[in-house]
Amino acid sequence: MLIAFSVSPLGGGESVGDAVAEAVRVVRESGLPNETNAMFTLIEGEWDEVMAVVRRAVDVLAEQSPRVSLVLKADIRAGVTDAMTAKVAHIEARLGQG
């Protein structure tokens, strides 16, 4: 399973960087393959382990804010591993075909 998610506290002011960094820390400490970009964090693993990490990230923000926003997109495909890099490599290979 590959999940792209974004989590952010609501109602705590204009800057959310410190809080979001704490949520990303939860993901990185999980040991699951992950990648963070300007909009989302990707995480790959089995359903229960991935969803547990997302829940912990939300809980960390809920400790600091009365309201939390979560956006989540999932690619659920049995038997696939290393989707985070394989999908990108596949597209790059197609682009190189000219």
Side-chain angles (χ1 to χ4, degrees), residues 21-94:
E22 289 306 313
V24 171
R25 184 183 319 278
V26 166
V27 173
R28 292 187 179 172
E29 289 175 352
S30 75
L32 295 175
N34 66 84
E35 177 182 300
T36 299
N37 61 44
M39 295 287 293
F40 288 94
T41 295
L42 295 172
I43 185 169
E44 186 171 6
E46 296 299 319
W47 179 278
D48 289 340
E49 61 189 0
V50 169
M51 294 308 281
V53 173
V54 171
R55 170 114 191 215
R56 283 196 305 274
V58 169
D59 288 346
V60 163
L61 294 189
E63 292 173 3
Q64 305 172 32
S65 178
R67 191 172 180 187
V68 177
S69 171
L70 173 66
V71 176
L72 187 142
K73 181 175 181 178
D75 183 355
I76 304 162
R77 192 170 173 195
V80 174
T81 58
D82 197 30
M84 194 163 27
T85 56
K87 286 180 142 194
V88 175
H90 181 73
I91 296 299
E92 292 295 338
R94 286 182 168 253

Side-chain angles (χ1 to χ4, degrees), residues 7-21 61 64-65:
V7 62
S8 182
L10 298 176
E14 195 171 313
S15 178
V16 297
D18 289 341
V20 170
L61 294 189
Q64 305 172 32
S65 178

